[in-house]
Amino acid sequence: MQSIMFMPLTLLILVLFNTSVYCQKPAFVNVGAIFTYDSVIGRAAKAAMEIAVSDINADPNILNGTKLRLVMQDANCSVFMGSMSAFQVIDRDVVAIIGPQSSSIAHMISQLANGLQVPLISYAATDPTLSALQFPYFFRTTKSDSNQMAAMADIIDFYGWKQVIAIYVDDDYGRNGINALDDELEKKMAKISYKYPLPSASDLKYIIEVLNKSKFLGPRVYVVHINPDPRLRIFSIAEKLNMMTSDYIWLATDWLSTTLDSVSPRDQASLKILQGVVGLRPHTPQTIQKKEFLSHWREKQQRGLVSSEPNAYGLYAYDTVWTVALSIAEFLNHGNTITFSSSEKLHDMEADKILLRKLKVFDGGKLLLKMLSQTNFTGLTGRVQFTADRNLASGSYDVLNIAQMVMRRVGYWTNYSGLSILPPEMLKEKKNCYSPLDQRLGKVTWPGGKTERSRGWVLGTADRPLRIGVPIRASYTEFVTELKESHKIEGYCIDLFDKARQLVPYDIPFRFEPFGDGQSNPSYDKLVKMVADEVFDAAVGDITIVTSRMKIVDFTLPYTSTGLVIVAPLRNTKSSAWVFLSPFTVQMWCAIAASFVVIAVVIWILEHRVNDDFRGPPKRQLITMFLFSFSTLFKTNQEHTVSTLGRIVMVVWLFLLLVITSSYTASLTSILTVQQLSSPITGIDSLIASGWPVGYQVGSFTYDYLLNSLYIPRSRLISLGSPEEYDQALRKGPTNGGVAAIIDELPYLELFLLNHTDYGIVGESFRKTGWGFVFQRGSPLAVDLSTAILKLAENGTLQKIHDKWFCKKGCIAPRRQNSEPNQLQLSSFWGLYCLCGVFTVTAFLLYLLRTVRQYIRYKRKQMEPLSPSTSVSSSTCCSEVVYSFFEFTDKKEEAIKSFFRQCDNPYPQVRADQ
């Protein structure tokens, strides 16, 4: 019974409790809004926020009876006024602040929001650095410029431009946005070559000065990142300066689309000056919700309540109000109350100095912050959902092109697919997986009305031609020099550059600027550094491509291959008394001598029993045996082979002998008729180990290489400036104040050896490299001239230019010391030796087998008449058999055969007539 009465009582208490909680909900919730009223973004944002507040308060299901009240303050485009406005807004007990639209003001107010725990939600502050952990109470319902600059970098990379000029407003928004672009371009192997900041309140005179200064630079791709400007001053001045032609490329961030979207259609005549400009606009999908919003906007326009056309930031402002309202509703629905308390830090400050005691901390700030981070709904701009750094999760842009006074869309960009002609809604999200090969954009009309992509680079003009540095050499002037009478620059490198320039499909205005005094060779490292420092636009000459130089400049492909070689004095070894031994190595001579001995023994064995020329006393047989073998070399032998096996061996031996004598004759002839040169230095290793002084050419990279890479002591390196100094230093030698050798690049030393016959190149070439023309980093001319050099190499022009300068008296091959004597090795004849050995051994084995069989038969025939009692004992049989066998081999073959015939016919036949 008690439990039955207890249940209704409990329900009544719960109802009363819920009713009391509901009654505790405030009638109004204040939300601050700080923006510049009289601005392109501010006018659209004000109308959009008012529409959003109206829509939210008209729906009782959002805040359950609580009304949202927007407390607006004008920032007047000033950080100071914006900060003061923040204090005024916070004094109205706001639970959140919408805005500001300026990144600079956002940096200031974010610190205040951190201290008072009031979330700050901006729909227009795009500075990427606002996403730092330093600002935990800052949220962004628009896209960060880190996304926008990634899109801009993809566009630049898509068209193949490597250098751009950035014009930007000099505040946090402009500087940090351009820094983000610089980082993105670096990933694409491109860069911002020149940066031109503009003051926030820059006048026309300042803009004219900046654009005039940029006209004389090489890059012609401009990226403009400023605040929305209804007067379009930059483009108006650019048109007057004749900078909206086909030689220029103009890219604009979303400030331009925001400006143009805010202009009334009847005021869009200004699009005429924007012919060919490419820009970005935050992408917003076409939905029924967006159409209803625009319809509401038109109604307010007709009633005169709105003075601006809607733009993307107006849509973001609308979604921002809804983001705050939904988070407040979630906050209140969880039974939380909106309360404020004084800060102890502010309470302790002296009141007579500054009145800060009225500032209060929002007690529910941390909880509201958490609910804001969990936002997830679909607004006018698409999905509103925050990442860990409090930015929108998705980022996409429309790529716009202005042509014939119409702003048309030529593609899209998303942070998961890159450039595409398909809307982001049709693409499947796959983070960071797009390939440059998949990038696509529609047809773009560029400034001047052209549809072909511009190079984005002007190499020079008649007023300012390319400044090409040319090294004025004091030696080896065939490569490049300046004529003293006419000051004309000529040489092998100059002719080659002129031929390559003629193959480039556009004109290259240039002028040569001499580098060096002509008294000594200039430092080529300094010349390359001057190109990197933009003192020169390029450098043409015999400039070696080395790693340290490639780090600061770009080279063309090598137009000639080079390498470091060693030149040293060579002595003639032609008159040696033992030159006849030179054709063969020691091993070869030993093999030949052994072959004569083996052949002599084998032929004697094979012929001894059947040939009377190989019989007689032992001394006579020994002389005959070796004389026969060696006489085959001169074909003077009187003895002739009789046995079949002996003749086979002789045929193979004579063939081997023929090859050996022919090779010997050819090698000896070469040695006796060609001058043999030698030097105690055989290569770079022996030169380093010798400890002798080494010469090098002044101005060359060789000094640094010998010192830092080969670690040759500085005291051993002698600088030389001309071929005459080379000759003098080599003639003196290392012991008389000269050098033992000179290390230089091959083209120089080949030219040196044409007129100095006492020296030659020793060892092999090392430190392979080449010569190329020098350009500033990213210069497109380096690529185009490299293509031209390839064409010159393919059609033979390179060789013709070389012959013109260096073969006037005939090209002479440089003398080189052979690293090894031109001796014939045993390995060159091992096949013949094997063949001869196989035949010789086979013939000997066949002879031995035949002789053993004859011997066995012979002994059997001898033992047939004897009785068994006369057999010899086994202990003496072995030695007697061996001795008996050698006696048998000494017998003539005819005598043995006669013995066999007698044994086979013991009784002679009687003739019939007897």
Side-chain angles (χ1 to χ4, degrees):
M1 186 67 179
Q2 291 179 354
S3 62
I4 295 174
M5 295 178 62
F6 179 73
M7 290 180 63
L9 182 61
T10 304
L11 291 174
L12 179 60
I13 294 173
L14 289 174
V15 171
L16 292 174
F17 177 77
N18 287 334
T19 304
S20 64
V21 170
Y22 177 79
C23 292
Q24 290 177 359
K25 286 188 175 182
F28 294 94
V29 176
N30 291 334
V31 175
I34 301 173
F35 58 96
T36 301
Y37 292 175
D38 188 21
S39 66
V40 172
I41 295 177
R43 285 189 289 269
K46 184 176 184 297
M49 288 189 290
E50 289 173 348
I51 295 174
V53 171
S54 175
D55 291 344
I56 292 168
N57 289 335
D59 189 347
N61 296 322
I62 304 299
L63 293 174
N64 294 326
T66 300
K67 298 296 182 180
L68 187 68
R69 185 161 57 190
L70 207 59
V71 180
M72 298 184 181
Q73 286 292 333
D74 189 358
N76 288 308
C77 284
S78 167
V79 176
F80 174 75
M81 293 302 299
S83 302
M84 293 300 101
S85 298
F87 283 105
Q88 293 175 351
V89 166
I90 291 173
D91 191 49
R92 300 284 297 274
D93 292 339
V94 296
V95 298
I97 300 176
I98 296 175
Q101 68 192 55
S102 167
S103 297
S104 300
I105 300 175
H107 274 278
M108 179 65 71
I109 300 180
S110 293
Q111 301 289 357
L112 185 60
N114 292 346
L116 300 179
Q117 298 181 10
V118 178
L120 180 65
I121 307 97
S122 177
Y123 54 84
T126 57
D127 179 2
T129 62
L130 287 169
S131 301
L133 297 176
Q134 179 185 3
F135 309 116
Y137 280 83
F138 178 82
F139 284 79
R140 185 171 10 225
T141 54
T142 186
K143 298 172 179 63
S144 168
D145 273 342
S146 59
N147 278 333
Q148 180 171 208
M149 295 310 175
M152 187 63 70
D154 274 354
I155 293 174
I156 294 170
D157 182 62
F158 177 77
Y159 289 108
W161 300 313
K162 294 302 180 182
Q163 295 191 45
V164 301
I165 297 175
I167 299 177
Y168 59 96
V169 60
D170 193 13
D171 60 10
D172 292 329
Y173 155 75
R175 286 190 300 271
N176 295 328
I178 290 301
N179 288 339
L181 176 61
D182 215 355
D183 294 339
E184 293 296 332
L185 287 176
E186 187 176 359
K187 299 175 185 178
K188 311 291 184 182
M189 303 298 291
K191 67 175 182 177
I192 300 176
S193 299
Y194 305 94
K195 297 180 180 180
Y196 289 105
L198 299 177
S200 300
S202 58
D203 55 13
L204 294 179
K205 184 178 179 181
Y206 192 89
I207 297 175
I208 292 173
E209 181 182 346
V210 167
L211 293 182
N212 265 325
K213 189 184 301 182
S214 69
K215 287 179 65 176
F216 298 99
L217 305 176
R220 286 293 184 267
V221 181
Y222 289 79
V223 177
V224 183
H225 183 57
I226 59 175
N227 292 319
D229 181 12
R231 294 191 292 165
L232 302 174
R233 292 173 298 171
I234 286 182
F235 295 108
S236 299
I237 295 172
E239 185 184 36
K240 294 178 181 178
L241 295 177
N242 200 28
M243 297 176 67
M244 298 299 293
T245 62
S246 58
D247 288 335
Y248 294 84
I249 300 295
W250 291 93
L251 306 175
T253 54
D254 60 5
W255 70 270
L256 181 60
S257 61
T258 301
T259 301
L260 298 179
D261 287 340
S262 304
V263 177
S264 175
R266 62 178 180 272
D267 296 332
Q268 290 189 347
S270 58
L271 290 175
K272 183 178 181 181
I273 66 172
L274 299 175
Q275 169 77 14
V277 177
V278 173
L280 294 172
R281 176 170 59 194
H283 175 73
T284 56
Q286 298 297 327
T287 61
I288 297 176
Q289 185 181 1
K290 182 179 177 180
K291 291 180 180 179
E292 293 176 351
F293 169 80
L294 294 177
S295 177
H296 195 178
W297 187 285
R298 301 303 175 201
E299 293 176 1
K300 298 192 72 170
Q301 273 186 325
Q302 292 175 0
R303 299 202 305 266
L305 301 177
V306 177
S307 60
S308 171
E309 294 293 323
N311 57 43
Y313 287 102
L315 303 182
Y316 284 125
Y318 181 90
D319 284 348
T320 303
V321 177
W322 273 90
T323 300
V324 173
L326 293 174
S327 298
I328 293 174
E330 188 72 13
F331 177 86
L332 295 176
N333 289 339
H334 281 76
N336 299 300
T337 58
I338 297 176
T339 60
F340 297 86
S341 60
S342 300
S343 172
E344 295 181 0
K345 295 181 179 180
L346 296 176
H347 183 75
D348 294 338
M349 295 187 69
E350 297 182 15
D352 58 345
K353 291 186 177 180
I354 185 170
L355 296 176
L356 295 175
R357 292 189 178 186
K358 291 184 179 182
L359 296 179
K360 297 178 181 179
V361 176
F362 177 32
D363 297 329
K366 292 183 179 180
L367 184 58
L368 182 60
L369 188 72
K370 179 180 178 182
M371 293 175 177
L372 277 169
S373 64
Q374 296 172 353
T375 299
N376 189 356
F377 74 97
T378 301
L380 299 182
T381 59
R383 177 61 56 182
V384 180
Q385 187 177 7
F386 296 111
T387 60
D389 57 358
R390 305 170 305 283
N391 287 316
L392 285 182
S394 62
S396 56
Y397 288 86
D398 297 338
V399 182
L400 307 175
N401 177 223
I402 302 171
Q404 299 178 351
M405 298 181 63
V406 175
M407 184 167 58
R408 58 189 181 90
R409 185 168 45 223
V410 294
Y412 304 87
W413 182 91
T414 68
N415 56 354
Y416 52 84
S417 65
L419 298 172
S420 172
I421 58 175
L422 298 176
E425 295 79 27
M426 298 179 62
L427 300 172
K428 185 178 180 181
E429 288 197 22
K430 291 183 180 179
K431 300 292 183 181
N432 300 325
C433 67
Y434 65 91
S435 167
L437 299 177
D438 300 329
Q439 306 301 284
R440 293 184 63 191
L441 282 178
K443 188 176 181 180
V444 173
T445 300
W446 302 105
K450 292 188 176 181
T451 56
E452 297 83 8
R453 177 189 68 88
S454 171
R455 296 194 312 270
W457 180 279
V458 174
L459 300 168
T461 63
D463 297 332
R464 187 189 179 279
L466 286 182
R467 300 157 300 171
I468 299 180
V470 178
I472 303 304
R473 299 188 55 87
S475 60
Y476 299 111
T477 55
E478 293 86 349
F479 293 104
V480 59
T481 189
E482 180 184 26
L483 299 181
K484 294 182 179 180
E485 298 81 8
S486 61
H487 298 287
K488 179 183 177 182
I489 306 296
E490 67 173 17
Y492 165 70
C493 302
I494 302 302
D495 281 3
L496 197 148
F497 173 76
D498 287 337
K499 289 293 184 181
R501 182 175 56 85
Q502 294 172 11
L503 295 179
V504 176
Y506 48 84
D507 185 39
I508 306 176
F510 71 95
R511 70 169 181 267
F512 287 131
E513 296 189 3
F515 175 73
D517 56 10
Q519 303 300 317
S520 61
N521 294 336
S523 171
Y524 282 45
D525 285 335
K526 290 182 179 179
L527 175 59
V528 172
K529 185 67 167 54
M530 292 177 73
V531 175
D533 293 341
E534 301 180 6
V535 177
F536 295 131
D537 297 307
V540 170
D542 49 334
I543 305 171
T544 307
I545 303 172
V546 295
T547 304
S548 60
R549 296 172 182 174
M550 288 199 68
K551 291 179 179 179
I552 58 175
V553 295
D554 284 347
F555 279 89
T556 62
L557 289 178
Y559 57 82
T560 186
S561 297
T562 66
L564 292 179
V565 293
I566 303 172
V567 162
L570 300 180
R571 64 172 182 267
N572 189 356
T573 59
K574 178 179 177 180
S575 58
S576 173
W578 299 95
V579 68
F580 67 90
L581 295 176
S582 299
F584 290 146
T585 61
V586 175
Q587 294 86 351
M588 186 65 183
W589 280 118
C590 293
I592 292 173
S595 300
F596 277 105
V597 174
V598 171
I599 290 297
V601 173
V602 171
I603 292 297
W604 178 84
I605 293 174
L606 296 177
E607 295 292 323
H608 178 66
R609 299 182 62 206
V610 297
N611 193 339
D612 291 336
D613 292 337
F614 291 88
R615 300 186 65 82
K619 181 178 179 181
R620 179 174 177 271
Q621 293 183 47
L622 187 63
I623 294 173
T624 301
M625 179 175 60
F626 285 104
L627 284 178
F628 174 82
S629 176
F630 285 99
S631 63
T632 57
L633 182 62
F634 309 103
K635 300 179 182 180
T636 59
N637 51 310
Q638 301 295 326
E639 299 81 5
H640 299 282
T641 54
V642 175
S643 66
T644 303
L645 293 177
R647 289 175 177 177
I648 292 174
V649 172
M650 281 300 298
V651 169
V652 177
W653 164 248
L654 289 174
F655 177 70
L656 172 63
L657 205 59
L658 174 65
V659 174
I660 290 176
T661 54
S662 299
S663 301
Y664 175 85
T665 302
S667 179
L668 183 60
T669 302
S670 174
I671 292 173
L672 292 175
T673 56
V674 178
Q675 185 181 22
Q676 300 297 303
L677 304 174
S678 66
S679 169
I681 300 171
T682 59
I684 185 62
D685 293 331
S686 66
L687 179 60
I688 294 175
S690 68
W692 291 332
V694 179
Y696 69 91
Q697 185 180 170
V698 174
S700 171
F701 77 98
T702 309
Y703 175 77
D704 289 333
Y705 179 74
L706 297 177
L707 183 66
N708 300 320
S709 297
L710 299 183
Y711 304 107
I712 298 179
R714 193 187 307 269
S715 59
R716 290 180 55 190
L717 300 177
I718 308 300
S719 63
L720 303 171
S722 65
E724 292 72 22
E725 292 184 18
Y726 283 14
D727 182 49
Q728 293 175 7
L730 289 172
R731 289 190 183 281
K732 289 181 180 178
T735 59
N736 297 318
V739 297
I742 292 173
I743 296 179
D744 204 349
E745 293 182 84
L746 182 60
Y748 300 122
L749 294 182
E750 284 181 337
L751 200 58
F752 170 74
L753 293 176
L754 286 175
N755 301 314
H756 299 82
T757 58
D758 297 332
Y759 314 108
I761 296 175
V762 299
E764 297 297 326
S765 174
F766 59 98
R767 186 62 175 81
K768 302 288 186 179
T769 182
W771 289 348
F773 302 136
V774 183
F775 294 93
Q776 295 175 8
R777 296 299 296 269
S779 171
L781 191 54
V783 177
D784 293 341
L785 272 179
S786 295
T787 304
I789 290 172
L790 284 178
K791 293 179 180 178
L792 292 177
E794 291 171 356
N795 60 27
T797 305
L798 279 183
Q799 187 61 42
K800 291 179 181 178
I801 298 175
H802 177 273
D803 295 345
K804 169 189 173 182
W805 284 96
F806 306 119
C807 297
K808 297 176 181 178
K809 299 180 181 180
C811 292
I812 303 175
R815 296 165 302 285
R816 289 179 176 267
Q817 175 202 1
N818 295 321
S819 58
E820 295 181 359
N822 291 322
Q823 294 180 315
L824 298 175
Q825 306 287 333
L826 178 60
S827 58
S828 303
F829 301 94
W830 71 270
L832 283 175
Y833 272 108
C834 287
L835 181 65
C836 184
V838 168
F839 275 93
T840 303
V841 172
T842 301
F844 175 75
L845 292 177
L846 290 175
Y847 168 81
L848 185 63
L849 179 62
R850 177 172 171 275
T851 304
V852 169
R853 289 181 62 189
Q854 280 186 340
Y855 173 72
I856 295 174
R857 182 183 176 191
Y858 175 77
K859 296 303 291 183
R860 286 177 179 174
K861 295 292 184 181
Q862 279 186 333
M863 296 176 62
E864 285 180 355
L866 300 178
S867 62
S869 60
T870 62
S871 60
V872 294
S873 62
S874 60
S875 60
T876 60
C877 180
C878 182
S879 59
E880 290 180 357
V881 167
V882 172
Y883 181 76
S884 176
F885 177 75
F886 279 108
E887 281 188 339
F888 174 78
T889 57
D890 191 48
K891 297 180 182 293
K892 290 192 66 173
E893 179 80 12
E894 185 61 32
I896 298 299
K897 291 181 178 180
S898 177
F899 173 76
F900 287 153
R901 286 195 298 269
Q902 291 179 2
C903 292
D904 292 337
N905 299 292
Y907 303 104
Q909 294 182 355
V910 180
R911 294 173 57 180
D913 57 354
Q914 291 179 348

